[in-house]
Amino acid sequence: MSETASKALRAQAAEPDPGRWKALVFIALAQLMVVLDATIVNIALPSAQQDLGISDGNRQWVVTAYALAFGGLLLFGGRIADLWGRKKAFVVGLGGFAAASALGGAATNEAMMFGARALQGVFGALLAPAALSLLAVMFTDAKERAKAFGIYGAIAGGGGAVGLILGGFLTEYLDWRWTFFVNIPFAIVAAAGAYFVIREPEGGRNRSPLDIPGVILSTLGLVALVYGFTRAESNGWSDSVTVGMFVASAVLLASFVLVESKVKAPLLPLRVITERNRGGIYLSLGLAIIAMFGLFLFLTYYLQIVKGYSPVKTGFAFLPMIAGMITGSTQIGTRLMTRVAPRLLMGPGFLVAALGMLLLTQLEIGSSYAALLLPSMLLLGLGMGTAFMPAMSLATQGVEPRDSGVASAMVNTSQQVGGAIGTALLNTIAASATTAYVADHIAGATSRSQQQLVQLEAMVQGYTSAIWFAVGILVVAAAIALTFVNAGRPGGTTVASSDEDAADEVQIPVVAH
């Protein structure tokens, strides 16, 4: 770390920004908007598909266009935040996201809708890492950082479920277009607040020339990876294009790592991901999101198709999960983060979530909400909230200010890629199990009502088969967190950006009570 950067980091640690708590309100609002958008559109999709005449084969692009742009450009967005300054990137990202949302809400055909969703992904990729890195550089005191990241972690984890409720209300009582228009007031308030309140610490910009080969290789590699999983869901794993995408992604991402190890000013300095704690966090978070994304999808379909819930009732059914996440993040995680090592929150948190997921393997057509779904969602929320909060904080802790944008982008990248993998992988497992069940049982169903019953039983059989995999994935995430993450022992947390920066380690006191 350079002497100038070290002085800047010490100065900002000594004098925290007086407006940091006000800034947190607007950063949290922007994060809520981005996370809401991931699920709010899912609720509106059937109505939008019908209105715009989108075919069943093409409807996935409403989700995929966003996922490809967002996942592919996150590292680039994080680097732009380091180059421009996080505040500027944050405000520009908000403005662009609002404009793209207006375009989506006004869409008159499928091409306009797909284009709007891609644009939302582009500006989301600029906004998300800027928001997290602003939080990372503004909150440096250990106890304050715990509180700030507790709030941020609750929003990051619970926002998706809030999106289901809001999406249900807007679709049922207004129009699906309002699931896009609702982003506009969020963005205006967050951008105005950020402009007047946020004061970004000095000395944190990375003015090195942009690593163009790194940008191209990382973007293409991530897009190929996300699209490979998306295509696998609809066309199968042995499809030639699916296999081609995975091969291309492996080659591109391997080339990216090689280029980053050689260039003078890399897009993603390898010190950011090779540091043991951050590497463990990126991996375990990505795995946890694989499990969570599949769950959201299955439970939404189960409640609406099998149980016959309305969109609004479906949204409210997820409230216990939101309550659990907020409790786990702001009460358990925040209170214990300055007292115990992060892995002792992350590991058990993922295991509690796995226990909640395990209960859902007992799902049947007639399962009781109160007896099965309620406790499983509470456990999932508590576990994920407790684990997400220290993970978000530690992933950006001790990073050089000039790297905070890309370190934050890696958190989002692991979540986005995890979401794409989760949706494709678990959906494929569910679809295969459903097809097999129908093939085995449909012959015995003679009447139409019996055939419909077999179809519903097959659907639930598919969900439970996939949920078993999700349980295993969460157990692996817990094992990785407990094995790799070794920072934050009571008495002092020492996190260095890289081995060569050991002389400039940042000591963050931990207050024992």
PDB file of all heavy atoms in Angstrom, residues 229 283-296 298 357 384 388 414-427 429 466 469-471 473-474 477:
ATOM      1  N   PHE A 229     -25.857 -21.364 -17.813  1.00  0.00           N
ATOM      2  CA  PHE A 229     -26.777 -21.923 -16.822  1.00  0.00           C
ATOM      3  C   PHE A 229     -28.231 -21.635 -17.179  1.00  0.00           C
ATOM      4  O   PHE A 229     -29.112 -22.471 -16.991  1.00  0.00           O
ATOM      5  CB  PHE A 229     -26.452 -21.368 -15.427  1.00  0.00           C
ATOM      6  CG  PHE A 229     -25.320 -22.093 -14.768  1.00  0.00           C
ATOM      7  CD1 PHE A 229     -24.068 -21.506 -14.646  1.00  0.00           C
ATOM      8  CD2 PHE A 229     -25.489 -23.382 -14.289  1.00  0.00           C
ATOM      9  CE1 PHE A 229     -23.012 -22.181 -14.056  1.00  0.00           C
ATOM     10  CE2 PHE A 229     -24.440 -24.073 -13.694  1.00  0.00           C
ATOM     11  CZ  PHE A 229     -23.200 -23.467 -13.582  1.00  0.00           C
ATOM     12  N   LEU A 283     -17.096 -17.407  -1.981  1.00  0.00           N
ATOM     13  CA  LEU A 283     -17.510 -18.771  -2.331  1.00  0.00           C
ATOM     14  C   LEU A 283     -18.737 -19.200  -1.532  1.00  0.00           C
ATOM     15  O   LEU A 283     -19.716 -19.721  -2.090  1.00  0.00           O
ATOM     16  CB  LEU A 283     -16.337 -19.727  -2.086  1.00  0.00           C
ATOM     17  CG  LEU A 283     -16.434 -21.122  -2.685  1.00  0.00           C
ATOM     18  CD1 LEU A 283     -16.684 -21.073  -4.190  1.00  0.00           C
ATOM     19  CD2 LEU A 283     -15.138 -21.904  -2.403  1.00  0.00           C
ATOM     20  N   SER A 284     -18.718 -18.978  -0.215  1.00  0.00           N
ATOM     21  CA  SER A 284     -19.842 -19.424   0.620  1.00  0.00           C
ATOM     22  C   SER A 284     -21.103 -18.614   0.334  1.00  0.00           C
ATOM     23  O   SER A 284     -22.208 -19.163   0.320  1.00  0.00           O
ATOM     24  CB  SER A 284     -19.480 -19.354   2.113  1.00  0.00           C
ATOM     25  OG  SER A 284     -19.138 -18.044   2.491  1.00  0.00           O
ATOM     26  N   LEU A 285     -20.952 -17.311   0.090  1.00  0.00           N
ATOM     27  CA  LEU A 285     -22.113 -16.479  -0.251  1.00  0.00           C
ATOM     28  C   LEU A 285     -22.749 -16.934  -1.558  1.00  0.00           C
ATOM     29  O   LEU A 285     -23.973 -17.025  -1.669  1.00  0.00           O
ATOM     30  CB  LEU A 285     -21.696 -15.005  -0.399  1.00  0.00           C
ATOM     31  CG  LEU A 285     -21.894 -14.060   0.783  1.00  0.00           C
ATOM     32  CD1 LEU A 285     -21.545 -12.633   0.382  1.00  0.00           C
ATOM     33  CD2 LEU A 285     -23.299 -14.111   1.333  1.00  0.00           C
ATOM     34  N   GLY A 286     -21.904 -17.194  -2.552  1.00  0.00           N
ATOM     35  CA  GLY A 286     -22.403 -17.653  -3.852  1.00  0.00           C
ATOM     36  C   GLY A 286     -23.198 -18.938  -3.712  1.00  0.00           C
ATOM     37  O   GLY A 286     -24.279 -19.082  -4.296  1.00  0.00           O
ATOM     38  N   LEU A 287     -22.688 -19.876  -2.910  1.00  0.00           N
ATOM     39  CA  LEU A 287     -23.386 -21.152  -2.700  1.00  0.00           C
ATOM     40  C   LEU A 287     -24.719 -20.941  -1.981  1.00  0.00           C
ATOM     41  O   LEU A 287     -25.736 -21.537  -2.335  1.00  0.00           O
ATOM     42  CB  LEU A 287     -22.497 -22.108  -1.897  1.00  0.00           C
ATOM     43  CG  LEU A 287     -21.313 -22.715  -2.656  1.00  0.00           C
ATOM     44  CD1 LEU A 287     -20.361 -23.405  -1.691  1.00  0.00           C
ATOM     45  CD2 LEU A 287     -21.790 -23.700  -3.717  1.00  0.00           C
ATOM     46  N   ALA A 288     -24.710 -20.073  -0.957  1.00  0.00           N
ATOM     47  CA  ALA A 288     -25.947 -19.819  -0.205  1.00  0.00           C
ATOM     48  C   ALA A 288     -27.021 -19.213  -1.105  1.00  0.00           C
ATOM     49  O   ALA A 288     -28.205 -19.551  -0.997  1.00  0.00           O
ATOM     50  CB  ALA A 288     -25.657 -18.888   0.975  1.00  0.00           C
ATOM     51  N   ILE A 289     -26.603 -18.336  -2.008  1.00  0.00           N
ATOM     52  CA  ILE A 289     -27.559 -17.697  -2.918  1.00  0.00           C
ATOM     53  C   ILE A 289     -28.133 -18.718  -3.909  1.00  0.00           C
ATOM     54  O   ILE A 289     -29.293 -18.637  -4.300  1.00  0.00           O
ATOM     55  CB  ILE A 289     -26.893 -16.518  -3.669  1.00  0.00           C
ATOM     56  CG1 ILE A 289     -26.548 -15.406  -2.684  1.00  0.00           C
ATOM     57  CG2 ILE A 289     -27.790 -15.979  -4.772  1.00  0.00           C
ATOM     58  CD1 ILE A 289     -27.737 -14.704  -2.078  1.00  0.00           C
ATOM     59  N   ILE A 290     -27.311 -19.707  -4.319  1.00  0.00           N
ATOM     60  CA  ILE A 290     -27.817 -20.778  -5.188  1.00  0.00           C
ATOM     61  C   ILE A 290     -29.035 -21.428  -4.522  1.00  0.00           C
ATOM     62  O   ILE A 290     -30.084 -21.615  -5.131  1.00  0.00           O
ATOM     63  CB  ILE A 290     -26.727 -21.848  -5.442  1.00  0.00           C
ATOM     64  CG1 ILE A 290     -25.630 -21.293  -6.364  1.00  0.00           C
ATOM     65  CG2 ILE A 290     -27.332 -23.118  -6.054  1.00  0.00           C
ATOM     66  CD1 ILE A 290     -24.463 -22.237  -6.576  1.00  0.00           C
ATOM     67  N   ALA A 291     -28.883 -21.739  -3.239  1.00  0.00           N
ATOM     68  CA  ALA A 291     -29.969 -22.386  -2.504  1.00  0.00           C
ATOM     69  C   ALA A 291     -31.173 -21.460  -2.348  1.00  0.00           C
ATOM     70  O   ALA A 291     -32.320 -21.862  -2.544  1.00  0.00           O
ATOM     71  CB  ALA A 291     -29.465 -22.838  -1.129  1.00  0.00           C
ATOM     72  N   MET A 292     -30.931 -20.192  -2.030  1.00  0.00           N
ATOM     73  CA  MET A 292     -32.011 -19.244  -1.769  1.00  0.00           C
ATOM     74  C   MET A 292     -32.839 -18.933  -3.016  1.00  0.00           C
ATOM     75  O   MET A 292     -34.062 -18.853  -2.950  1.00  0.00           O
ATOM     76  CB  MET A 292     -31.438 -17.939  -1.209  1.00  0.00           C
ATOM     77  CG  MET A 292     -31.063 -18.005   0.238  1.00  0.00           C
ATOM     78  SD  MET A 292     -32.490 -18.301   1.319  1.00  0.00           S
ATOM     79  CE  MET A 292     -33.313 -16.728   1.248  1.00  0.00           C
ATOM     80  N   PHE A 293     -32.170 -18.720  -4.141  1.00  0.00           N
ATOM     81  CA  PHE A 293     -32.883 -18.341  -5.358  1.00  0.00           C
ATOM     82  C   PHE A 293     -33.836 -19.441  -5.806  1.00  0.00           C
ATOM     83  O   PHE A 293     -34.968 -19.171  -6.198  1.00  0.00           O
ATOM     84  CB  PHE A 293     -31.891 -18.017  -6.484  1.00  0.00           C
ATOM     85  CG  PHE A 293     -31.745 -16.544  -6.724  1.00  0.00           C
ATOM     86  CD1 PHE A 293     -31.163 -15.744  -5.768  1.00  0.00           C
ATOM     87  CD2 PHE A 293     -32.190 -15.957  -7.896  1.00  0.00           C
ATOM     88  CE1 PHE A 293     -31.018 -14.378  -5.963  1.00  0.00           C
ATOM     89  CE2 PHE A 293     -32.064 -14.598  -8.111  1.00  0.00           C
ATOM     90  CZ  PHE A 293     -31.472 -13.796  -7.147  1.00  0.00           C
ATOM     91  N   GLY A 294     -33.358 -20.682  -5.744  1.00  0.00           N
ATOM     92  CA  GLY A 294     -34.215 -21.801  -6.114  1.00  0.00           C
ATOM     93  C   GLY A 294     -35.425 -21.876  -5.200  1.00  0.00           C
ATOM     94  O   GLY A 294     -36.555 -22.110  -5.646  1.00  0.00           O
ATOM     95  N   LEU A 295     -35.193 -21.619  -3.919  1.00  0.00           N
ATOM     96  CA  LEU A 295     -36.277 -21.680  -2.944  1.00  0.00           C
ATOM     97  C   LEU A 295     -37.363 -20.640  -3.240  1.00  0.00           C
ATOM     98  O   LEU A 295     -38.557 -20.941  -3.219  1.00  0.00           O
ATOM     99  CB  LEU A 295     -35.725 -21.451  -1.541  1.00  0.00           C
ATOM    100  CG  LEU A 295     -36.831 -21.413  -0.480  1.00  0.00           C
ATOM    101  CD1 LEU A 295     -37.212 -22.819  -0.094  1.00  0.00           C
ATOM    102  CD2 LEU A 295     -36.422 -20.617   0.718  1.00  0.00           C
ATOM    103  N   PHE A 296     -36.966 -19.392  -3.478  1.00  0.00           N
ATOM    104  CA  PHE A 296     -37.933 -18.337  -3.801  1.00  0.00           C
ATOM    105  C   PHE A 296     -38.827 -18.769  -4.953  1.00  0.00           C
ATOM    106  O   PHE A 296     -40.043 -18.613  -4.925  1.00  0.00           O
ATOM    107  CB  PHE A 296     -37.208 -17.040  -4.192  1.00  0.00           C
ATOM    108  CG  PHE A 296     -36.879 -16.145  -3.032  1.00  0.00           C
ATOM    109  CD1 PHE A 296     -35.659 -15.499  -2.958  1.00  0.00           C
ATOM    110  CD2 PHE A 296     -37.806 -15.928  -2.021  1.00  0.00           C
ATOM    111  CE1 PHE A 296     -35.355 -14.666  -1.895  1.00  0.00           C
ATOM    112  CE2 PHE A 296     -37.510 -15.094  -0.950  1.00  0.00           C
ATOM    113  CZ  PHE A 296     -36.282 -14.460  -0.886  1.00  0.00           C
ATOM    114  N   PHE A 298     -39.430 -21.889  -6.174  1.00  0.00           N
ATOM    115  CA  PHE A 298     -40.287 -23.038  -5.895  1.00  0.00           C
ATOM    116  C   PHE A 298     -41.452 -22.676  -4.971  1.00  0.00           C
ATOM    117  O   PHE A 298     -42.584 -23.096  -5.198  1.00  0.00           O
ATOM    118  CB  PHE A 298     -39.484 -24.188  -5.268  1.00  0.00           C
ATOM    119  CG  PHE A 298     -38.418 -24.734  -6.164  1.00  0.00           C
ATOM    120  CD1 PHE A 298     -37.216 -25.200  -5.640  1.00  0.00           C
ATOM    121  CD2 PHE A 298     -38.602 -24.785  -7.534  1.00  0.00           C
ATOM    122  CE1 PHE A 298     -36.222 -25.706  -6.467  1.00  0.00           C
ATOM    123  CE2 PHE A 298     -37.618 -25.285  -8.369  1.00  0.00           C
ATOM    124  CZ  PHE A 298     -36.427 -25.743  -7.836  1.00  0.00           C
ATOM    125  N   MET A 357     -34.452 -25.409   5.422  1.00  0.00           N
ATOM    126  CA  MET A 357     -34.618 -25.996   4.090  1.00  0.00           C
ATOM    127  C   MET A 357     -34.959 -27.485   4.213  1.00  0.00           C
ATOM    128  O   MET A 357     -35.761 -28.013   3.437  1.00  0.00           O
ATOM    129  CB  MET A 357     -33.315 -25.809   3.295  1.00  0.00           C
ATOM    130  CG  MET A 357     -33.452 -25.935   1.811  1.00  0.00           C
ATOM    131  SD  MET A 357     -34.184 -24.509   1.015  1.00  0.00           S
ATOM    132  CE  MET A 357     -32.804 -23.430   0.815  1.00  0.00           C
ATOM    133  N   MET A 384     -29.951 -17.081   7.395  1.00  0.00           N
ATOM    134  CA  MET A 384     -29.371 -16.254   6.330  1.00  0.00           C
ATOM    135  C   MET A 384     -29.037 -14.849   6.826  1.00  0.00           C
ATOM    136  O   MET A 384     -27.991 -14.296   6.495  1.00  0.00           O
ATOM    137  CB  MET A 384     -30.333 -16.169   5.138  1.00  0.00           C
ATOM    138  CG  MET A 384     -30.391 -17.433   4.328  1.00  0.00           C
ATOM    139  SD  MET A 384     -28.786 -17.839   3.591  1.00  0.00           S
ATOM    140  CE  MET A 384     -29.280 -19.091   2.431  1.00  0.00           C
ATOM    141  N   PHE A 388     -25.331 -13.465   6.512  1.00  0.00           N
ATOM    142  CA  PHE A 388     -25.088 -12.427   5.506  1.00  0.00           C
ATOM    143  C   PHE A 388     -24.385 -11.210   6.096  1.00  0.00           C
ATOM    144  O   PHE A 388     -23.526 -10.615   5.465  1.00  0.00           O
ATOM    145  CB  PHE A 388     -26.430 -11.963   4.905  1.00  0.00           C
ATOM    146  CG  PHE A 388     -26.828 -12.723   3.677  1.00  0.00           C
ATOM    147  CD1 PHE A 388     -26.687 -14.091   3.622  1.00  0.00           C
ATOM    148  CD2 PHE A 388     -27.353 -12.077   2.573  1.00  0.00           C
ATOM    149  CE1 PHE A 388     -27.061 -14.813   2.497  1.00  0.00           C
ATOM    150  CE2 PHE A 388     -27.735 -12.778   1.439  1.00  0.00           C
ATOM    151  CZ  PHE A 388     -27.591 -14.147   1.404  1.00  0.00           C
ATOM    152  N   SER A 414     -20.616 -12.731  -6.890  1.00  0.00           N
ATOM    153  CA  SER A 414     -20.835 -14.079  -6.341  1.00  0.00           C
ATOM    154  C   SER A 414     -22.324 -14.329  -6.115  1.00  0.00           C
ATOM    155  O   SER A 414     -22.826 -15.432  -6.341  1.00  0.00           O
ATOM    156  CB  SER A 414     -20.050 -14.267  -5.030  1.00  0.00           C
ATOM    157  OG  SER A 414     -20.547 -13.433  -4.008  1.00  0.00           O
ATOM    158  N   GLN A 415     -23.057 -13.268  -5.714  1.00  0.00           N
ATOM    159  CA  GLN A 415     -24.500 -13.412  -5.516  1.00  0.00           C
ATOM    160  C   GLN A 415     -25.231 -13.579  -6.850  1.00  0.00           C
ATOM    161  O   GLN A 415     -26.127 -14.412  -6.980  1.00  0.00           O
ATOM    162  CB  GLN A 415     -25.052 -12.184  -4.788  1.00  0.00           C
ATOM    163  CG  GLN A 415     -24.610 -12.103  -3.337  1.00  0.00           C
ATOM    164  CD  GLN A 415     -25.119 -10.841  -2.680  1.00  0.00           C
ATOM    165  OE1 GLN A 415     -24.964  -9.735  -3.180  1.00  0.00           O
ATOM    166  NE2 GLN A 415     -25.740 -10.990  -1.542  1.00  0.00           N
ATOM    167  N   GLN A 416     -24.829 -12.778  -7.848  1.00  0.00           N
ATOM    168  CA  GLN A 416     -25.521 -12.813  -9.137  1.00  0.00           C
ATOM    169  C   GLN A 416     -25.286 -14.137  -9.870  1.00  0.00           C
ATOM    170  O   GLN A 416     -26.207 -14.737 -10.408  1.00  0.00           O
ATOM    171  CB  GLN A 416     -25.062 -11.636 -10.007  1.00  0.00           C
ATOM    172  CG  GLN A 416     -25.871 -11.426 -11.269  1.00  0.00           C
ATOM    173  CD  GLN A 416     -27.334 -11.127 -10.992  1.00  0.00           C
ATOM    174  OE1 GLN A 416     -27.656 -10.563  -9.963  1.00  0.00           O
ATOM    175  NE2 GLN A 416     -28.217 -11.526 -11.893  1.00  0.00           N
ATOM    176  N   VAL A 417     -24.027 -14.565  -9.888  1.00  0.00           N
ATOM    177  CA  VAL A 417     -23.712 -15.850 -10.532  1.00  0.00           C
ATOM    178  C   VAL A 417     -24.385 -16.984  -9.760  1.00  0.00           C
ATOM    179  O   VAL A 417     -24.938 -17.916 -10.351  1.00  0.00           O
ATOM    180  CB  VAL A 417     -22.172 -16.054 -10.622  1.00  0.00           C
ATOM    181  CG1 VAL A 417     -21.844 -17.465 -11.085  1.00  0.00           C
ATOM    182  CG2 VAL A 417     -21.556 -15.030 -11.576  1.00  0.00           C
ATOM    183  N   GLY A 418     -24.384 -16.874  -8.424  1.00  0.00           N
ATOM    184  CA  GLY A 418     -25.066 -17.870  -7.600  1.00  0.00           C
ATOM    185  C   GLY A 418     -26.551 -17.934  -7.913  1.00  0.00           C
ATOM    186  O   GLY A 418     -27.133 -19.016  -8.004  1.00  0.00           O
ATOM    187  N   GLY A 419     -27.173 -16.768  -8.132  1.00  0.00           N
ATOM    188  CA  GLY A 419     -28.588 -16.724  -8.479  1.00  0.00           C
ATOM    189  C   GLY A 419     -28.873 -17.401  -9.803  1.00  0.00           C
ATOM    190  O   GLY A 419     -29.835 -18.164  -9.940  1.00  0.00           O
ATOM    191  N   ALA A 420     -28.016 -17.138 -10.792  1.00  0.00           N
ATOM    192  CA  ALA A 420     -28.193 -17.745 -12.121  1.00  0.00           C
ATOM    193  C   ALA A 420     -28.022 -19.264 -12.048  1.00  0.00           C
ATOM    194  O   ALA A 420     -28.798 -20.025 -12.632  1.00  0.00           O
ATOM    195  CB  ALA A 420     -27.185 -17.150 -13.107  1.00  0.00           C
ATOM    196  N   ILE A 421     -27.001 -19.691 -11.309  1.00  0.00           N
ATOM    197  CA  ILE A 421     -26.755 -21.129 -11.161  1.00  0.00           C
ATOM    198  C   ILE A 421     -27.916 -21.780 -10.404  1.00  0.00           C
ATOM    199  O   ILE A 421     -28.424 -22.833 -10.791  1.00  0.00           O
ATOM    200  CB  ILE A 421     -25.422 -21.385 -10.421  1.00  0.00           C
ATOM    201  CG1 ILE A 421     -24.235 -20.894 -11.262  1.00  0.00           C
ATOM    202  CG2 ILE A 421     -25.259 -22.869 -10.101  1.00  0.00           C
ATOM    203  CD1 ILE A 421     -22.910 -20.896 -10.512  1.00  0.00           C
ATOM    204  N   GLY A 422     -28.347 -21.124  -9.308  1.00  0.00           N
ATOM    205  CA  GLY A 422     -29.422 -21.686  -8.492  1.00  0.00           C
ATOM    206  C   GLY A 422     -30.703 -21.888  -9.273  1.00  0.00           C
ATOM    207  O   GLY A 422     -31.325 -22.954  -9.219  1.00  0.00           O
ATOM    208  N   THR A 423     -31.088 -20.844 -10.026  1.00  0.00           N
ATOM    209  CA  THR A 423     -32.323 -20.919 -10.797  1.00  0.00           C
ATOM    210  C   THR A 423     -32.242 -22.045 -11.829  1.00  0.00           C
ATOM    211  O   THR A 423     -33.177 -22.832 -11.986  1.00  0.00           O
ATOM    212  CB  THR A 423     -32.599 -19.572 -11.503  1.00  0.00           C
ATOM    213  OG1 THR A 423     -32.610 -18.540 -10.516  1.00  0.00           O
ATOM    214  CG2 THR A 423     -33.937 -19.586 -12.210  1.00  0.00           C
ATOM    215  N   ALA A 424     -31.113 -22.117 -12.541  1.00  0.00           N
ATOM    216  CA  ALA A 424     -30.971 -23.123 -13.609  1.00  0.00           C
ATOM    217  C   ALA A 424     -30.800 -24.531 -13.055  1.00  0.00           C
ATOM    218  O   ALA A 424     -31.499 -25.469 -13.461  1.00  0.00           O
ATOM    219  CB  ALA A 424     -29.784 -22.762 -14.497  1.00  0.00           C
ATOM    220  N   LEU A 425     -29.869 -24.674 -12.118  1.00  0.00           N
ATOM    221  CA  LEU A 425     -29.545 -26.002 -11.591  1.00  0.00           C
ATOM    222  C   LEU A 425     -30.733 -26.626 -10.857  1.00  0.00           C
ATOM    223  O   LEU A 425     -31.150 -27.755 -11.154  1.00  0.00           O
ATOM    224  CB  LEU A 425     -28.342 -25.896 -10.652  1.00  0.00           C
ATOM    225  CG  LEU A 425     -27.855 -27.187  -9.996  1.00  0.00           C
ATOM    226  CD1 LEU A 425     -27.322 -28.144 -11.036  1.00  0.00           C
ATOM    227  CD2 LEU A 425     -26.775 -26.894  -8.955  1.00  0.00           C
ATOM    228  N   LEU A 426     -31.312 -25.878  -9.924  1.00  0.00           N
ATOM    229  CA  LEU A 426     -32.411 -26.438  -9.135  1.00  0.00           C
ATOM    230  C   LEU A 426     -33.676 -26.616  -9.977  1.00  0.00           C
ATOM    231  O   LEU A 426     -34.436 -27.565  -9.770  1.00  0.00           O
ATOM    232  CB  LEU A 426     -32.682 -25.555  -7.908  1.00  0.00           C
ATOM    233  CG  LEU A 426     -31.512 -25.469  -6.914  1.00  0.00           C
ATOM    234  CD1 LEU A 426     -31.850 -24.574  -5.743  1.00  0.00           C
ATOM    235  CD2 LEU A 426     -31.096 -26.843  -6.401  1.00  0.00           C
ATOM    236  N   ASN A 427     -33.898 -25.707 -10.927  1.00  0.00           N
ATOM    237  CA  ASN A 427     -35.050 -25.861 -11.816  1.00  0.00           C
ATOM    238  C   ASN A 427     -34.927 -27.122 -12.671  1.00  0.00           C
ATOM    239  O   ASN A 427     -35.904 -27.830 -12.911  1.00  0.00           O
ATOM    240  CB  ASN A 427     -35.155 -24.647 -12.748  1.00  0.00           C
ATOM    241  CG  ASN A 427     -36.417 -23.858 -12.499  1.00  0.00           C
ATOM    242  OD1 ASN A 427     -37.295 -24.295 -11.774  1.00  0.00           O
ATOM    243  ND2 ASN A 427     -36.516 -22.702 -13.089  1.00  0.00           N
ATOM    244  N   ILE A 429     -33.212 -29.849 -11.936  1.00  0.00           N
ATOM    245  CA  ILE A 429     -33.417 -31.015 -11.056  1.00  0.00           C
ATOM    246  C   ILE A 429     -34.910 -31.216 -10.805  1.00  0.00           C
ATOM    247  O   ILE A 429     -35.434 -32.336 -10.888  1.00  0.00           O
ATOM    248  CB  ILE A 429     -32.661 -30.818  -9.719  1.00  0.00           C
ATOM    249  CG1 ILE A 429     -31.141 -30.834  -9.963  1.00  0.00           C
ATOM    250  CG2 ILE A 429     -33.046 -31.897  -8.705  1.00  0.00           C
ATOM    251  CD1 ILE A 429     -30.323 -30.301  -8.800  1.00  0.00           C
ATOM    252  N   ALA A 466     -35.386 -31.019  -5.589  1.00  0.00           N
ATOM    253  CA  ALA A 466     -34.432 -29.913  -5.742  1.00  0.00           C
ATOM    254  C   ALA A 466     -34.048 -29.338  -4.377  1.00  0.00           C
ATOM    255  O   ALA A 466     -32.892 -28.942  -4.158  1.00  0.00           O
ATOM    256  CB  ALA A 466     -35.038 -28.823  -6.618  1.00  0.00           C
ATOM    257  N   PHE A 469     -31.135 -30.966  -2.701  1.00  0.00           N
ATOM    258  CA  PHE A 469     -29.848 -30.458  -3.184  1.00  0.00           C
ATOM    259  C   PHE A 469     -29.503 -29.133  -2.513  1.00  0.00           C
ATOM    260  O   PHE A 469     -28.353 -28.876  -2.169  1.00  0.00           O
ATOM    261  CB  PHE A 469     -29.884 -30.272  -4.712  1.00  0.00           C
ATOM    262  CG  PHE A 469     -29.624 -31.534  -5.480  1.00  0.00           C
ATOM    263  CD1 PHE A 469     -30.647 -32.441  -5.744  1.00  0.00           C
ATOM    264  CD2 PHE A 469     -28.344 -31.835  -5.932  1.00  0.00           C
ATOM    265  CE1 PHE A 469     -30.413 -33.619  -6.438  1.00  0.00           C
ATOM    266  CE2 PHE A 469     -28.087 -33.005  -6.632  1.00  0.00           C
ATOM    267  CZ  PHE A 469     -29.124 -33.906  -6.890  1.00  0.00           C
ATOM    268  N   ALA A 470     -30.526 -28.281  -2.342  1.00  0.00           N
ATOM    269  CA  ALA A 470     -30.297 -26.979  -1.704  1.00  0.00           C
ATOM    270  C   ALA A 470     -29.796 -27.151  -0.267  1.00  0.00           C
ATOM    271  O   ALA A 470     -28.935 -26.396   0.195  1.00  0.00           O
ATOM    272  CB  ALA A 470     -31.579 -26.154  -1.726  1.00  0.00           C
ATOM    273  N   VAL A 471     -30.329 -28.157   0.427  1.00  0.00           N
ATOM    274  CA  VAL A 471     -29.861 -28.453   1.799  1.00  0.00           C
ATOM    275  C   VAL A 471     -28.370 -28.776   1.775  1.00  0.00           C
ATOM    276  O   VAL A 471     -27.580 -28.236   2.566  1.00  0.00           O
ATOM    277  CB  VAL A 471     -30.650 -29.638   2.412  1.00  0.00           C
ATOM    278  CG1 VAL A 471     -30.022 -30.074   3.741  1.00  0.00           C
ATOM    279  CG2 VAL A 471     -32.112 -29.266   2.607  1.00  0.00           C
ATOM    280  N   ILE A 473     -26.156 -27.965  -0.477  1.00  0.00           N
ATOM    281  CA  ILE A 473     -25.380 -26.781  -0.870  1.00  0.00           C
ATOM    282  C   ILE A 473     -25.156 -25.864   0.334  1.00  0.00           C
ATOM    283  O   ILE A 473     -24.062 -25.330   0.541  1.00  0.00           O
ATOM    284  CB  ILE A 473     -26.103 -26.031  -2.015  1.00  0.00           C
ATOM    285  CG1 ILE A 473     -26.036 -26.853  -3.306  1.00  0.00           C
ATOM    286  CG2 ILE A 473     -25.481 -24.648  -2.253  1.00  0.00           C
ATOM    287  CD1 ILE A 473     -26.965 -26.374  -4.411  1.00  0.00           C
ATOM    288  N   LEU A 474     -26.183 -25.684   1.174  1.00  0.00           N
ATOM    289  CA  LEU A 474     -26.041 -24.839   2.367  1.00  0.00           C
ATOM    290  C   LEU A 474     -25.069 -25.443   3.378  1.00  0.00           C
ATOM    291  O   LEU A 474     -24.321 -24.722   4.040  1.00  0.00           O
ATOM    292  CB  LEU A 474     -27.405 -24.613   3.021  1.00  0.00           C
ATOM    293  CG  LEU A 474     -28.292 -23.554   2.357  1.00  0.00           C
ATOM    294  CD1 LEU A 474     -29.694 -23.573   2.951  1.00  0.00           C
ATOM    295  CD2 LEU A 474     -27.679 -22.160   2.498  1.00  0.00           C
ATOM    296  N   ALA A 477     -21.700 -24.633   2.113  1.00  0.00           N
ATOM    297  CA  ALA A 477     -21.435 -23.209   2.362  1.00  0.00           C
ATOM    298  C   ALA A 477     -20.980 -23.006   3.810  1.00  0.00           C
ATOM    299  O   ALA A 477     -20.030 -22.247   4.080  1.00  0.00           O
ATOM    300  CB  ALA A 477     -22.673 -22.365   2.081  1.00  0.00           C
TER     301      ALA A 477
END
